[in-house]
Amino acid sequence: MNTNLSGAEIGLYRRNGFLVISDFLTHTELEWWRDAVYESIEEHIRQKAPNNQKEEGYYKHVFIQCVNIWKTNEKIKQIATDPRLGKLATDLAGTSGVHLYHDHALIKEPWANPTNFHIDNPYDPYDSRQGIMLWVALDDATIQNGCMYLLPGTHLKSHFKFTGVLEREGVGGLFDEYPDWTEIEPYVAEVKAGDAVFISGMIAHAAGPNMTPRPRRAYAMLFMPEGAKYNGRRSGLPYELVEKLEIGDVIPHHEQVPLLFSYGVDSPTQRAVVASEIAD
């Protein structure tokens, strides 16, 4: 796994709101991730798990989404709770540490609709410009099969207001809120299988339709900054945690939103303890 970050790459992420890392996974790692994710997708679809996919309307034909598969599959748990991923997210976002908020497998099926331009963080239970997602391509993502499009710099100007644009028809509904962004040239994120894209939770991004007879598959992890405060929207937080929270409370370490990495954990021994708690 390519876990080296240069100062230039960190600066690029913070300026643009995203960073593409080529050859993030080795060939062996890619095959292991694929097997684990595909196994978990089959489990979720077979069991019709809660939040497995949107069932109605336009969004049903955008992609299949399997959420929190790390909680039901031990192989995925090993991937999603790797402290090295947490450190990468921490360093790019410029925070003291990160929790795993949730993960999801994303399958854009053959002939699927485009994914509308949207911003992730307004869907989350916390408001922060340091939320970050790691998106890893399990298949080559191309213009033909629905690669991502990102609007550079929009993470610096977006707001936390929920607009619900994902569920509407029309890829450009977000521009009703941000008319100036229609002049921004999107970055077209064509990437190879095994490449990764770190994405700010506040950047506008979309994906094209899949105009091929083959699926375009990816696996993503959303990281919540350490110290994030609850905004009253439960979203993907577990009920047993939300029941104890008031608006404005810091969202604590919890087995279902584990702290993956923190610079506040000072010694290697303490870090090993945190990592072992996550893995158990």
Side-chain angles (χ1 to χ4, degrees):
M1 188 186 299
N2 181 4
T3 58
N4 296 317
L5 279 178
S6 67
E9 288 175 315
I10 293 173
L12 194 63
Y13 170 82
R14 295 184 187 174
R15 182 167 62 253
N16 288 335
F18 65 92
L19 179 70
V20 177
I21 301 180
S22 299
D23 300 317
F24 183 69
L25 300 179
T26 66
H27 177 74
T28 300
E29 289 168 335
L30 173 60
E31 290 304 313
W32 199 84
W33 281 46
R34 277 175 170 165
D35 289 345
V37 172
Y38 298 169
E39 174 186 291
S40 189
I41 288 170
E42 290 176 358
E43 290 171 358
H44 268 239
I45 292 175
R46 184 170 59 250
Q47 296 170 8
K48 296 183 178 179
N51 295 323
N52 186 46
Q53 59 181 322
K54 302 284 184 178
E55 294 294 343
E56 301 295 337
Y58 176 84
Y59 203 69
K60 176 181 178 181
H61 303 287
V62 173
F63 51 59
I64 293 174
Q65 179 176 207
C66 301
V67 181
N68 278 330
I69 57 176
W70 76 274
K71 295 181 180 180
T72 58
N73 185 290
E74 284 300 317
K75 295 176 186 175
I76 297 297
K77 185 176 182 179
Q78 290 180 48
I79 291 170
T81 59
D82 189 329
R84 294 177 297 173
L85 301 179
K87 184 178 186 301
L88 284 171
T90 295
D91 290 343
L92 286 170
T95 186
S96 63
V98 296
H99 298 256
L100 175 64
Y101 169 44
H102 72 73
D103 70 340
H104 52 190
L106 301 167
I107 310 100
K108 191 170 278 290
E109 295 184 292
W111 320 117
N113 289 336
T115 310
N116 297 345
F117 271 105
H118 65 284
I119 299 165
D120 286 339
N121 187 250
Y123 288 84
D124 295 335
Y126 59 91
D127 297 333
S128 174
R129 294 194 183 277
Q130 293 176 311
I132 184 171
M133 176 172 68
L134 170 59
W135 185 98
V136 179
L138 301 179
D139 300 303
D140 292 350
T142 67
I143 291 175
Q144 288 83 3
N145 72 2
C147 71
M148 282 194 292
Y149 296 79
L150 303 109
L151 299 185
T154 53
H155 65 303
L156 301 173
K157 301 175 181 179
S158 53
H159 54 64
F160 300 114
K161 178 182 176 183
F162 177 76
T163 58
V165 293
L166 263 177
E167 293 78 11
R168 304 180 202 164
E169 292 192 36
V171 70
L174 184 65
F175 300 136
D176 293 340
E177 290 286 327
Y178 302 96
D180 292 347
W181 290 0
T182 60
E183 302 300 318
I184 299 175
E185 191 69 33
Y187 175 86
V188 184
E190 287 196 283
V191 295
K192 304 190 307 294
D195 291 351
V197 188
F198 277 96
I199 304 167
S200 166
M202 293 301 290
I203 192 172
H205 59 289
N210 185 353
M211 301 297 287
T212 77
R214 296 166 297 280
R216 189 227 69 187
R217 295 162 291 195
Y219 176 65
M221 290 147 278
L222 278 71
F223 301 108
M224 175 176 67
E226 184 180 26
K229 296 181 178 181
Y230 181 54
N231 61 13
R233 188 166 48 243
R234 188 186 77 83
S235 193
L237 288 180
Y239 284 105
E240 60 266 34
L241 178 56
V242 169
E243 287 175 351
K244 301 175 183 178
L245 292 175
E246 299 288 341
I247 294 175
D249 286 350
V250 171
I251 300 172
H253 169 69
H254 185 278
E255 62 179 2
Q256 294 194 56
V257 283
L259 183 66
L260 296 191
F261 179 87
S262 174
Y263 280 109
V265 181
D266 295 324
S267 73
T269 301
Q270 287 174 297
R271 289 183 184 178
V273 169
V274 172
S276 66
E277 289 176 348
I278 293 168
D280 290 342

